[in-house]
Amino acid sequence: MNCYPETMQINRVSVVGGGTMGNGIAHVLALSGFPVVLIESKEEFLARALTTIRENMRRQAAKSVITPRLMDEALARIEPSLKLEDAAQVDFVIEAIPESLE
């Protein structure tokens, strides 16, 4: 018996947390053609995540791993957000935030 839905259409993804894992996940999803809502708790964390993604893609383009056009298209697919509520507007959510008891 298959416990997974036979058809699951994922058109838009959200990554909650833009740290090392989160920005890497958003990076790969955007390069794979998925629109991504990248959610962070503070503007400076979001800016850092977007800068990291941009720099990592620039390195890939410099090494001809991706084309500059693919880089631009992927970066355009990433929608930054400071509102967790924006995760409700997607088909699939990936949580990548630090575990902190505080």
Side-chain angles (χ1 to χ4, degrees):
M1 173 178 231
N2 186 353
C3 62
Y4 299 104
E6 293 302 315
T7 58
M8 183 175 176
Q9 188 71 30
I10 299 174
N11 296 309
R12 197 163 178 233
V13 180
S14 180
V15 178
V16 181
T20 302
M21 284 184 60
N23 73 56
I25 293 166
H27 174 139
V28 171
L29 286 168
L31 281 177
S32 298
F34 289 96
V36 179
V37 179
L38 180 58
I39 301 173
E40 253 303 350
S41 60
K42 295 183 180 179
E43 185 67 45
E44 59 265 26
F45 298 158
L46 192 53
R48 186 179 324 142
L50 294 171
T51 297
T52 299
I53 293 168
R54 192 174 303 107
E55 289 305 313
N56 287 340
M57 285 188 190
R58 281 187 185 143
R59 275 197 290 279
Q60 286 183 294
K63 294 178 180 180
S64 298
V65 174
I66 62 173
T67 64
R69 179 178 176 182
L70 180 57
M71 178 185 81
D72 292 341
E73 291 170 352
L75 289 171
R77 286 187 197 103
I78 300 173
E79 176 187 334
S81 175
L82 294 171
K83 298 185 290 184
L84 187 56
E85 304 85 53
D86 288 344
Q89 307 304 317
V90 303
D91 303 304
F92 193 77
V93 178
I94 299 170
E95 176 268 324
I97 58 175
E99 310 285 327
S100 175
L101 295 177
E102 300 162 4

